[in-house]
Amino acid sequence: MKTVSLTIDGKEIKAPVGEKVLWAALDNDIYIPHLCARHDNSAPDASCRLCWVEIEGKSRPVTACTETVEAGMVVNTKGQAALRLARTAIELLLASNEVDCASCAKSGACELQKIAAHLKVKLKTRRFKKILRHLPVDSSSPLFTYDPNKCVLCGQCIQVCRQRLGIGALGFAHRGFNRRMTTFGDQPIGQSECQNCGDCVAACPTGALCFK
Amino acid sequence: MTNTKEKTKITEQTRRLLNRFSRKRGNLIPTLQKVQEELGYLPREAMLEVARFLDIPEIDVYGVVTFYNQFRLNPPGKHSIRVCLGTACHMKGGYITLDAWKRRLSIDRGQTTADREFDLDTVACVGCCVMAPVTVVDDKPAGQVEPTKVDGILLSFEREREKRGKEKR
Ligand code: FES
Ligand code: FES
């Protein structure tokens, strides 16, 4: 496999040609917050807006999940401008999230907790007004529960459902604040085409999808 | 609301319309527009047909239909009620007017009454802000529509219906 050399946070690393900066960093134990990217997806959604990095020669921060590595590239994951964008993104997500870690099954393994800690943002941040969605929890599946109020719309579950399994039971619907991961006609998941493989639950970075 | 006979009819109608389109995903929106033009709305069966035709997940059709304001999931009523929530109307209590309509018709925005007399939705500024709060009733903007006026408008529709009923007899 052909590789290129680049520098991330002063560390000299090698990455396969065509690799995205995000995966190059993660493979070398350099953490960059991320929610929506999947390594097997060659056309990233880049929708979570968390993976900001600064690259020498570029005037503005870029999303690491869409930026392809180049020989001699100098990446900084700790730049103030990049961190500021990432912090705003996580604070906006937290502003419409219940954040009831105390009674959440995912607590401890939740990406939101990890990202907030990494960015030094309090989970109970008050920067933005809290507006909750108050959507009903769906426990129709025999295998798992879906709490849309804890969903960050990263699309991981949707991606595995179709790329890996070719089912496509899940998707996004509605617009703006009402946007949510759902099924055709907003049916309960248990009555949809879902075949209970559980891969979506494994892919969920938050407590939105949890095994029963 | 839709019975089996109506459902089969919808499926057949949709199939006929789809014949004119090629099976390209890029055709999703024009296809939906055509179907809505014919049927007046996008019933469940029609969306399922479109998904099958384009060979895409059903939820993707539903996602597009619920994203764009131009698509409706419910049949149009005989009368259309559009409550303006543009900036001026919002400031003048458009939301209160909307609530009044919702309560009186017992439906939410985007829905149609069970008797298919009224459908309710919102619009964003119809260009006559001086009359705020505006409700567009059957394409005609009505001004200063506060909750009492909502009752008035409904009453006049009722009168009309009574009159029509009498004339028929
Ligand atoms: S991981 Fe890059 S935008 Fe979500
Ligand atoms: S805001 Fe309602 S007409 Fe302009």
Side-chain angles (χ1 to χ4, degrees):
Chain A
M1 192 172 25
K2 268 216 181 133
T3 60
V4 292
S5 308
L6 66 157
T7 316
I8 305 184
D9 290 350
K11 191 171 164 188
E12 189 69 47
I13 65 162
K14 281 198 188 347
V17 173
E19 185 64 294
K20 302 293 183 211
V21 171
L22 175 64
W23 308 110
L26 294 175
D27 282 347
N28 288 279
D29 298 321
I30 299 168
Y31 181 67
I32 298 172
H34 61 103
L35 280 173
C36 67
R38 289 192 71 77
H39 206 171
D40 55 8
N41 185 357
S42 54
D45 290 352
S47 58
C48 74
R49 317 313 282 169
L50 279 163
C51 63
W52 296 103
V53 293
E54 291 170 21
I55 293 178
E56 243 179 64
K58 292 196 194 271
S59 56
R60 287 188 192 149
V62 293
T63 45
C65 67
T66 55
E67 202 65 23
T68 309
V69 292
E70 272 166 39
M73 199 178 229
V74 180
V75 182
N76 176 13
T77 73
K78 298 192 176 101
Q80 280 315 306
L83 290 178
R84 186 155 183 264
L85 287 170
R87 278 191 193 117
T88 302
I90 189 80
E91 283 175 309
L92 282 167
L93 285 178
L94 292 169
S96 57
N97 196 299
E98 281 171 336
V99 194
D100 69 336
C101 301
S103 57
C104 180
K106 203 59 164 263
S107 188
C110 175
E111 287 293 318
L112 289 179
Q113 292 174 325
K114 182 173 170 186
I115 293 168
H118 177 84
L119 294 172
K120 301 195 174 64
V121 166
K122 284 205 200 81
L123 283 166
K124 299 273 176 199
T125 164
R126 288 258 158 250
R127 176 159 165 219
F128 299 110
K129 189 176 160 198
K130 197 112 188 156
I131 307 178
L132 297 175
R133 288 165 280 185
H134 299 300
L135 292 164
V137 176
D138 179 355
S139 5
S140 61
S141 158
L143 200 66
F144 58 87
T145 54
Y146 167 44
D147 184 348
N149 306 299
K150 294 180 182 173
C151 175
V152 290
L153 303 177
C154 66
Q156 297 266 1
C157 53
I158 299 172
Q159 290 183 48
V160 282
C161 190
R162 33 193 89 180
Q163 281 174 2
R164 244 195 250 163
L165 307 154
I167 303 177
L170 308 176
F172 287 126
H174 306 281
R175 187 168 52 168
F177 192 66
N178 289 320
R179 191 138 180 95
R180 74 195 78 138
M181 188 284 277
T182 183
T183 62
F184 178 76
D186 293 317
Q187 282 167 315
I189 294 181
Q191 286 156 41
S192 73
E193 287 173 285
C194 169
Q195 284 162 32
N196 297 310
C197 71
D199 279 17
C200 56
V201 185
C204 181
T206 74
L209 292 168
C210 281
F211 286 111
K212 278 188 173 166
Chain B
M1 201 146 63
T2 31
N3 53 32
T4 338
K5 224 173 92 200
E6 207 173 337
K7 278 186 195 166
T8 345
K9 202 174 136 219
I10 289 168
T11 308
E12 278 164 18
Q13 257 177 313
T14 312
R15 279 203 196 131
R16 224 179 324 109
L17 292 170
L18 289 176
N19 278 333
R20 308 185 208 168
F21 292 91
S22 61
R23 293 172 188 262
K24 273 194 303 214
R25 192 186 168 136
N27 272 341
L28 177 56
I29 290 178
T31 311
L32 291 171
Q33 283 168 329
K34 185 77 211 166
V35 175
Q36 175 160 296
E37 191 188 308
E38 288 298 306
L39 305 181
Y41 71 118
L42 291 166
R44 205 188 146 78
E45 292 69 33
M47 290 191 281
L48 290 173
E49 259 331 286
V50 172
R52 233 168 278 149
F53 182 77
L54 296 174
D55 193 25
I56 57 175
E58 294 155 7
I59 172 70
D60 284 1
V61 176
Y62 184 67
V64 167
V65 170
T66 54
F67 184 88
Y68 292 106
N69 256 334
Q70 60 171 304
F71 295 123
R72 10 181 340 119
L73 288 166
N74 292 300
K78 208 181 285 159
H79 302 292
S80 87
I81 309 292
R82 298 286 174 271
V83 183
C84 182
L85 292 182
T87 313
C89 292
H90 175 94
M91 294 308 293
K92 286 284 208 167
Y95 273 96
I96 302 168
T97 305
L98 177 62
D99 274 342
W101 283 113
K102 280 195 201 167
R103 225 174 315 120
R104 286 286 171 261
L105 299 174
S106 310
I107 51 172
D108 214 333
R109 62 210 265 188
Q111 294 182 337
T112 306
T113 52
D115 59 4
R116 300 203 185 174
E117 275 292 318
F118 298 98
D119 63 60
L120 177 65
D121 216 333
T122 56
V123 283
C125 192
V126 287
C128 44
C129 312
V130 272
M131 289 157 55
V134 172
T135 295
V136 186
V137 180
D138 289 336
D139 295 328
K140 281 189 280 307
Q144 283 86 42
V145 183
E146 272 124 30
T148 42
K149 191 133 173 205
V150 169
D151 290 340
I153 293 170
L154 284 174
L155 200 66
S156 60
F157 276 129
E158 199 136 320
R159 286 273 152 73
E160 235 174 75
R161 219 175 350 166
E162 274 166 18
K163 225 167 72 193
R164 254 184 288 138
K166 264 185 210 146
E167 276 165 15
K168 257 190 219 151
R169 249 182 272 143

